[in-house]
Every structure is written in C-alpha cells, then in structure tokens.
Amino acid sequence: QVQLVESGGGLVQVGGSLRLSCAASGRSFSTKAMGWFRQAPGKEREFVAAIGWIGSYTYYGDSVKGRFTISRDNAKNTLWLQMNSLKPEDTAVYYCAQSSSVVLTTSSHSYDYWGQGTQVTVSS
C-alpha cells in the first residue's frame, strides 16, 4: 500500500519561497511518475507540476512555470516542490500524487494515490 505525506506548507509573504516535501511509503515510488496538484477554496483541483519516474522529464502548469521546480530522490522515496516568487493566487492546499504510469501526466485521473495535503498561504 502506498502512503504519501506532505509537509512544508505554511504562511509566507508575497515574493517569498517555500519548499514542499512528500514522503512516500511502498516500493512503487521509484517506478512511477509523480505530481503536485493544488486546490483553492471554491475552485477545482489544478495541476501544478509532474516528474517522470527517473526525474529527467518535468512539466509545469502555465501559472507556475519559471517559479516552481519539482524534483525527486528515488533512493529516499521523496518528492519536492520548490516554490519561489510566491503570489497570493498560489494560496491553496497542495497535494502530492503518485501516477499509475512511469510517464508524467497532467490529468488527475491518472494518479492512483494522494496525500492529505498541506496548506500554503501567501499574504500580500
């Protein structure tokens, strides 16, 4: 069974940075693509970033491109999301998710396992 636990969220001022972590249990982490999604109050869940199983390929949502960086360490079963130049519109609950595939994907329907989420609040 796969369990994903996010950490690193919090309150930060506009222009600040945060680094989210996602600790994964189970043996499948190193063979699956991983992703980050977020959901703001009253809005649908939004794709943020994804990374292939090796980590060579990454893809970002347009709203975070150039500001966020996704990375992983398969030896540590850990996924990260480095968030820089944060804006108030980045405020949301952030979720890490494990895909059913080795290939990165932006569709939430392709992700089998989800963490409980971590709150990120950007104050102006």
Side-chain angles (χ1 to χ4, degrees), residues 45-63:
R45 189 166 292 187
E46 176 189 12
F47 169 77
V48 175
I51 187 167
W53 68 290
I54 294 178
S56 300
Y57 296 99
T58 58
Y59 190 78
Y60 298 91
D62 288 341
S63 60

Side-chain angles (χ1 to χ4, degrees), residues 12-15 38-41 43-44 46-48 62-64 67-68 83-94 119-124:
V12 63
Q13 291 188 333
V14 169
R38 67 187 181 185
Q39 189 165 19
K43 295 187 177 181
E44 293 187 354
E46 176 189 12
F47 169 77
V48 175
D62 288 341
S63 60
V64 307
R67 300 187 298 122
F68 290 11
M83 306 186 296
N84 297 330
S85 303
L86 284 161
K87 305 174 181 180
E89 50 264 44
D90 294 320
T91 296
V93 177
Y94 283 72
Q119 176 70 46
V120 171
T121 303
V122 184
S123 65
S124 57

Side-chain angles (χ1 to χ4, degrees), residues 65-119:
K65 203 171 295 182
R67 300 187 298 122
F68 290 11
T69 302
I70 188 172
S71 60
R72 68 188 296 166
D73 185 333
N74 287 344
K76 297 180 179 179
N77 271 22
T78 303
L79 177 75
W80 293 282
L81 183 69
Q82 177 66 44
M83 306 186 296
N84 297 330
S85 303
L86 284 161
K87 305 174 181 180
E89 50 264 44
D90 294 320
T91 296
V93 177
Y94 283 72
Y95 301 89
C96 73
Q98 181 173 299
S99 173
S100 57
S101 171
V102 299
V103 179
L104 64 86
T105 174
T106 63
S107 171
S108 62
H109 299 293
S110 298
Y111 290 81
D112 293 331
Y113 299 99
W114 295 80
Q116 83 289 348
T118 185
Q119 176 70 46

